[in-house]
Structure formats: structure tokens, C-alpha cells
Amino acid sequence: MAASKHTVLQFNAPSTASLSAKVHPLVILNICDCYVRRPDQAERVIGTLLGSVLPDGTVDVCNSYAVPHTESSEQVALDIEYHHNMLVSHQKVNPKEVIVGWYSTGLGVRGGSALIHDFYSREVPNPVHLTVDTGFGNGEGTIKAYVSVNLALGDLQLAAQFQKIPLDLRMLEAERLGLDILKTTAVDKLPNDLEGMEVTMERLLALIDDVYKYVDDVVEGRVAADNSIGRFIADTVASLPKLSPPAFDKLVNESLQDQLLLLYLSSIIRTQLGLVEKLNTAADQIL
């Protein structure tokens, strides 16, 4: 009986099992700003991601800039000279920042993304492709990261496939509040310091309740213990200063009084500026 022959297709690419990306909030805000300032005829914005590759293989994306382009159903044209000039300008300020990939606005990968990714593959090995949903259609800014994997038949490359990789978006509480406001399609006004503090405290209390619930579930045997989470909780508790309840209340009240004083002074300054403007207007009319 003759042995059957099979055609073997294989993916030729570095392993993506340990590859991940970490994006700083400044990058997301910069991408959204570029999308708002895009030309009227442009459907999306693309640009270059800058950062570094950490020793554990994580791609740390900490900066970005938009690249002018024209796009049709058949081709994509990039302003390569502008791209290189911007790269030189950025590296004069931050020499350690190198190209780590590129971004585009919109949901998921589009038809012309393979052509753009091929260009950035010549700029840096295995670039990361970041997609940002600037429309916030579902109330959340969907942010995903991909790498390209080549589908080959022996030595013949047939196609390229984008594979999703883990994405870590870490931010401070102030940055998270700003991103939450950005997700809202319409806001009456920006929150003041006290309103922002109130939202922060409510979120902090919710997180503390989640930690309490997790610890209780572990103690009662409802959830299996995770050593890494336990060490993280222990380190967090150990990092807190040892203050008595009266001393903590005094510290919070003093900080709150300082905030109220700043709000009062800023209100007085705004009132004074308004009066000066009205007096100047009245004087001009009299003259």
C-alpha cells in the first residue's frame, strides 16, 4: 500500500507565547488627539509606536506620533520622509526610544494593515500592531495588540496572519479618571478636584471590598489560594504607614482643608478677573 503524502503548512514566526505589550496612557491619549485632528477625508489615523523591549520580552510602548498617509481599497501610501524626520526628532529628546511597532484607529485589523505592517517589519524585527477604537461605540475603548505570523509552505511564504497578544494598560488614578471622561461621548462639565476625589474614594472602597471578599473566600476554602496574589496583598499592606485612626483622620482633614482653600482662592481670582474685564469693557465704551 503506497504511503499517503500530506502537504504541511507551518507558521514561521518567533514564539508569541511569552510576547506581550505594555502601553502607557499617554500613548492612548495621543492617538485619540491625532484622530480628532485628522483630515476630513481620512477614515482612520495610523502612526509609529516608540518604546523599548524589556528583558523579559515585553514590548514597552511609551510614546507615539501620527504618520500622514493616503489609503484606498488597493493601496496604502505612507509619508516615509515625514516618518523618518519625526523619528530623528524624537530620538534627539529620548535616545533610548526606538520603533517597536505601529498603531491604527478603528476596530481590529483592516485590509491594508498587512501592507503597512510589512513596511514596519523592515524598520524593526517583529513589530507590534496596536488598534484603538477611538469611536468608543460600546462605551469602552477597545484596545488590542497583534503580531504578524507568516503562513508558509516549505520555503514559500503564502500569507501573513495577525495573532493577538496580551496587552497591559496600566495607569495612575488621575490618568484613569481622564480616560473615563474621554470614553463618555458627552459630558456637561469636567469634574472638579472634590468630585474627582469622591470618585477615587468610591473606587478605592470597591477595590478594598473585592480584596476582603477574595481573602474570605480563600480562608473558607471556596477559592484556591494564589501565592502571587497573596504576596502582592502582603506587600501592599506592608507598604502602608502605621497611623492611628485619630492621626489618619487629622491627615485627611488637613488635606481636605487645603483643597477647599485652593478652590476658594481660585474662585476669588476668577471673580476678580471677570470684574476687571467688565470694567475695561465699560471704560472702552465710555471713551
Side-chain angles (χ1 to χ4, degrees):
M1 181 176 175
S4 59
K5 296 182 179 180
H6 300 278
T7 301
V8 179
L9 299 177
Q10 58 182 359
F11 289 107
N12 294 333
S15 175
T16 60
S18 60
L19 185 62
S20 62
K22 182 172 67 173
V23 180
H24 291 239
L26 175 63
V27 177
I28 305 302
L29 297 176
N30 189 20
I31 292 173
C32 293
D33 179 66
C34 293
Y35 180 77
V36 172
R37 300 171 185 270
R38 74 191 189 282
D40 295 335
Q41 68 274 14
E43 296 183 0
R44 66 169 177 169
V45 175
I46 66 171
T48 303
L49 298 176
L50 300 177
S52 60
V53 180
L54 302 181
D56 61 353
T58 302
V59 179
D60 185 19
V61 183
C62 55
N63 208 342
S64 67
Y65 58 86
V67 177
H69 77 291
T70 57
E71 187 174 6
S72 65
S73 59
E74 298 179 354
Q75 64 179 3
V76 179
L78 297 177
D79 191 339
I80 299 177
E81 182 179 359
Y82 177 88
H83 159 67
H84 288 154
N85 290 337
M86 287 294 294
L87 177 60
V88 171
S89 300
H90 275 272
Q91 289 186 332
K92 286 181 180 178
V93 180
N94 298 304
K96 295 183 179 180
E97 291 184 356
V98 297
I99 298 176
V100 294
W102 66 286
Y103 72 82
S104 67
T105 59
L107 280 172
V109 180
R110 299 178 57 176
S113 298
L115 298 175
I116 304 173
H117 198 83
D118 181 65
F119 164 74
Y120 280 94
S121 297
R122 297 192 294 269
E123 297 282 308
V124 60
N126 200 25
V128 172
H129 176 33
L130 188 73
T131 61
V132 181
D133 176 23
T134 51
F136 298 98
N138 55 356
E140 293 289 335
T142 304
I143 305 171
K144 297 180 180 180
Y146 302 88
V147 293
S148 178
V149 178
N150 295 327
L151 178 62
L153 175 59
D155 296 333
L156 178 62
Q157 180 178 336
L158 300 179
Q161 180 185 23
F162 285 95
Q163 285 191 356
K164 187 178 177 182
I165 61 174
L167 178 65
D168 184 13
L169 182 61
R170 295 185 180 182
M171 59 186 72
L172 300 175
E173 188 61 29
E175 296 169 334
R176 187 178 298 278
L177 288 173
L179 188 60
D180 290 341
I181 294 174
L182 187 64
K183 292 178 182 179
T184 307
T185 55
V187 292
D188 296 331
K189 65 181 183 68
L190 294 176
N192 55 37
D193 293 339
L194 291 179
E195 292 172 344
M197 183 182 298
E198 181 181 2
V199 174
T200 302
M201 294 304 298
E202 290 177 352
R203 184 170 295 164
L204 177 61
L205 291 175
L207 292 175
I208 293 176
D209 290 338
D210 291 340
V211 173
Y212 269 122
K213 183 177 182 302
Y214 172 78
V215 173
D216 289 340
D217 290 341
V218 171
V219 172
E220 297 296 333
R222 293 189 292 267
V223 176
D226 189 326
N227 293 333
S228 61
I229 296 179
R231 284 193 295 269
F232 183 79
I233 295 176
D235 293 341
T236 303
V237 174
S239 65
L240 297 176
K242 295 182 179 179
L243 295 176
S244 62
F248 181 77
D249 291 340
K250 180 181 178 182
L251 182 64
V252 172
N253 290 331
E254 289 178 352
S255 177
L256 181 60
Q257 289 174 2
D258 292 340
Q259 292 284 348
L260 292 174
L261 179 59
L262 290 175
L263 289 175
Y264 178 70
L265 291 176
S266 63
S267 177
I268 291 178
I269 293 173
R270 283 197 300 269
T271 302
Q272 183 178 6
L273 292 175
L275 288 175
V276 170
E277 183 179 358
K278 290 183 179 180
L279 290 174
N280 289 335
T281 303
D284 292 340
Q285 290 177 351
I286 292 175
L287 296 176

